Amino acid sequence: MSDEKIYRASTTAPVNIAVIKYWGKRDPALNLPTNSSLSVTLAQSDLRTHTTASCSSKFSAPDTLLLNSAPQEISSARPTACLTALRSLRAALEDADPKLPKLSTFPLQLVSVNNFPTAAGLASSAAGFAALVRSVADLYALPQTATELSLIARQGSGSACRSLLGGYVAWEKGSRADGKDSIARLVAPRSHWPEMRALILVVSADKKGISSTTGMQATVKTSALFQTRTNHVVPKEMAEIEQAIHAKDFESFGRITMRESNSFHATCLDTEPPIFYLNDVSRAAIRAVEELNTRAGTIVAAYTFDAGPNAVIYHLEENRDLVAGSFKFLLADKEGWNGERGRAIVAMEGVLCVDDKVAIMLKHGVSRVILTGIGEGPISVQEHLVDEQGNVIET
């Protein structure tokens, strides 16, 4: 009798925001970076991808992926590389134990939902591929560790390897041609420095004009600053920020984070033709953070920007009202303050004394805010997006 059971496993995976940016590939096919990077994993209560991986002999080939109710292309190189690697690991288990169901031979039905805008500079691909890899690994009952699975997630989206771990996570560039040493590494768990918070000013939820992959390929080819950043700037800042994290030294953490963001975007501007991920609203956010730090007499807030205009402003819980509260007073009418985190923040009048041009730019340019903090890695959940008959559950 044929096995027509619907097998399911579901996972939520986090967004991570890098403080040392990954930019450039030494091997595009294997998604190997030219420099190491380091990120903060954000809380899944605020930003996550929820994925159900299901398979059955009843499903029709080929594999399918539904993201936020929209069918997605899954036959391209990156998803295929991830699924091929995961199937190979499952097939090895089935060869070793003939009693196991032959899940590696069944078509996959993948269903994902994000609770944040896709492709908007919020590391949606990182959370997406981390959730995909972790959910299929759980479906296949694979014994590999999160670090071992990061080798697979990296082939889907480079930064996805960092979303397989919680807390403060490094992605080693490695030196091997086969990429086996280009893995995610835990720098410190969430519990080491749980007071880290992030305020995200969403400037645009639109897709980027220039994708990260296209942008970094152009930078590698044309930027004179690229080699200096890769060979000298990033290695030094990786060592320094790891020391700051271990010492829980926010002033050093913040200074390095902002300097590194500026270095990354300077390299983008040095590309031919220049790449403009920041806009006038982004620059207004930078001015506001500088003003906060000046008035505080120390670094209490640190901005960073990925390949997009959205500002991520790191701060500690002890300075929550000073930092997030100052923005709450200025941006009180924006969506995002009504959640549990937002209601707890006291709007601080008279702290953020920016000029009218900066204030107007932020008021008109920021569409919403997201309040979050440091979080854990992927979590296996019993809330499935596919029912026992293999039907997609509407969310």
Side-chain angles (χ1 to χ4, degrees), residues 35-355:
N35 66 270
S36 297
S37 57
L38 191 146
S39 63
V40 179
T41 302
L42 300 181
Q44 294 185 54
S45 56
D46 310 300
L47 296 163
R48 69 180 181 276
T49 295
H50 178 189
T51 298
T52 294
S54 61
C55 68
S56 174
S57 63
K58 293 171 60 176
F59 292 165
S60 299
D63 299 333
T64 60
L65 169 63
L66 205 63
L67 172 60
N68 294 335
S69 301
Q72 304 293 310
E73 175 60 53
I74 200 173
S75 61
S76 58
R78 291 186 178 186
T80 297
C82 293
L83 296 179
T84 298
L86 292 163
R87 276 196 167 98
S88 178
L89 293 173
R90 172 64 189 189
L93 294 179
E94 293 165 0
D95 289 343
D97 184 355
K99 296 184 207 175
L100 289 176
K102 306 301 182 185
L103 304 190
S104 65
T105 67
F106 297 164
L108 285 161
Q109 183 182 63
L110 306 166
V111 181
S112 289
V113 176
N114 292 340
N115 69 344
F116 58 93
T118 303
L122 292 177
S124 59
S125 63
F129 273 102
L132 181 151
V133 169
R134 183 72 264 179
S135 62
V136 175
D138 289 349
L139 177 70
Y140 288 167
L142 300 181
Q144 277 71 23
T145 65
T147 294
E148 290 169 332
L149 291 174
S150 74
L151 289 166
I152 298 174
R154 184 204 73 217
Q155 296 179 62
S157 169
S159 54
C161 70
R162 297 192 306 252
S163 279
L164 282 171
L165 295 166
Y168 304 85
V169 185
W171 172 20
E172 301 290 356
K173 71 171 184 177
S175 59
R176 290 177 50 159
D178 63 4
K180 292 295 178 64
D181 57 350
S182 183
I183 57 173
R185 172 177 59 85
L186 183 66
V187 172
R190 176 190 177 279
S191 58
H192 168 72
W193 201 8
E195 296 85 5
M196 188 66 70
R197 300 290 179 266
L199 165 65
I200 302 174
L201 306 181
V202 180
V203 175
S204 172
D206 296 332
K207 288 194 174 185
K208 292 173 281 192
I210 299 175
S211 71
S212 298
T213 298
T214 300
M216 66 178 67
Q217 288 173 338
T219 297
V220 171
K221 291 178 181 177
T222 65
S223 171
L225 295 178
F226 173 72
Q227 291 299 332
T228 299
R229 169 179 160 75
T230 299
N231 296 327
H232 302 288
V233 175
V234 170
K236 179 175 180 289
E237 293 187 336
M238 279 288 291
E240 289 177 350
I241 205 162
E242 286 201 38
Q243 291 176 1
I245 290 168
H246 289 307
K248 304 179 188 178
D249 176 359
F250 187 84
E251 184 171 6
S252 295
F253 174 91
R255 181 176 292 107
I256 297 163
T257 294
M258 292 186 285
R259 190 172 65 213
E260 160 61 15
S261 180
N262 294 338
S263 166
F264 160 56
H265 286 282
T267 306
C268 291
L269 286 173
D270 189 51
T271 302
E272 297 180 12
I275 303 170
F276 300 97
Y277 286 125
L278 305 187
N279 60 21
D280 287 343
V281 185
S282 310
R283 287 182 280 274
I286 291 173
R287 295 301 181 202
V289 169
E290 289 177 340
E291 171 65 18
L292 273 175
N293 290 334
T294 297
R295 290 180 68 85
T298 187
I299 294 176
V300 295
Y303 61 78
T304 188
F305 297 83
D306 279 348
N310 301 327
V312 179
I313 302 171
Y314 285 114
H315 55 282
L316 295 180
E317 172 66 21
E318 65 191 58
N319 293 316
R320 180 194 66 185
D321 290 342
L322 175 62
V323 177
S326 296
F327 281 97
K328 184 177 184 179
F329 179 78
L330 184 66
L331 304 171
D333 61 331
K334 304 301 179 183
E335 180 184 353
W337 299 112
N338 292 328
E340 182 179 349
R341 290 186 191 270
R343 289 193 300 270
I345 294 171
V346 177
M348 301 291 284
E349 181 177 2
V351 176
L352 190 55
C353 298
V354 294
D355 62 45

